[in-house]
């Protein structure tokens, strides 16, 4: 995709702003004329440089983010284990508190 193109509808190139010598006609289409100017070409180059710099910085920051997040994996693993134990204990407590007739007894295990 070219960013230095501009479309004019129902306007002839000679009627466009700026002198016709500054305009470089890229193509004539049914819907209009595609053209560029030196200032549009410079703006396109500046946009492409800025976009490239942005993508490079974004890639660097994403890498740092992934490395930082990876250091928290053991913490989240321990937290998940603790929450699983807490969930199981809460289920036992709920069963004991709301047993029909209040006749809940602690289970005994045999070999």
């Amino acid at each position: 995709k070219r960013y230095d193109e501009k479309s004019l509808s129902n306007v002839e190139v000679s009627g466009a702003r700026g002198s016709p010598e500054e305009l470089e006609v890229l193509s004539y289409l049914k819907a209009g004329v595609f053209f560029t100017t030196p200032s549009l070409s410079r703006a396109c180059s500046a946009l492409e440089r800025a976009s490239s710099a942005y993508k490079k910085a974004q890639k660097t920051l994403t890498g740092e983010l992934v490395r930082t997040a990876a250091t928290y994996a053991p913490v989240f693993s321990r937290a998940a284990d603790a929450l699983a134990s807490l969930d199981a204990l809460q289920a036992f407590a709920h069963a004991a508190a709301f047993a029909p007739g209040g006749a809940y007894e602690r289970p005994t295990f045999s070999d």
Side-chain angles (χ1 to χ4, degrees), residues 20-66:
E21 298 83 33
E22 293 178 4
L23 299 177
E24 177 188 344
V25 176
L26 300 173
S27 66
Y28 292 97
L29 300 173
K30 191 180 211 181
V33 177
F34 282 97
F35 67 93
T36 188
T37 64
S39 62
L40 284 174
S41 295
R42 286 190 300 274
C44 176
S45 297
L47 177 64
E48 288 175 354
R49 284 191 304 273
S51 179
S52 175
Y54 174 80
K55 287 178 184 177
K56 184 178 178 182
Q58 185 179 22
K59 187 174 182 177
T60 302
L61 287 175
T62 302
E64 286 182 33
L65 176 68
V66 168

Side-chain angles (χ1 to χ4, degrees), residues 93-109:
H94 181 77
F98 297 103
Y104 180 82
E105 292 184 23
R106 183 177 177 185
T108 56
F109 298 98

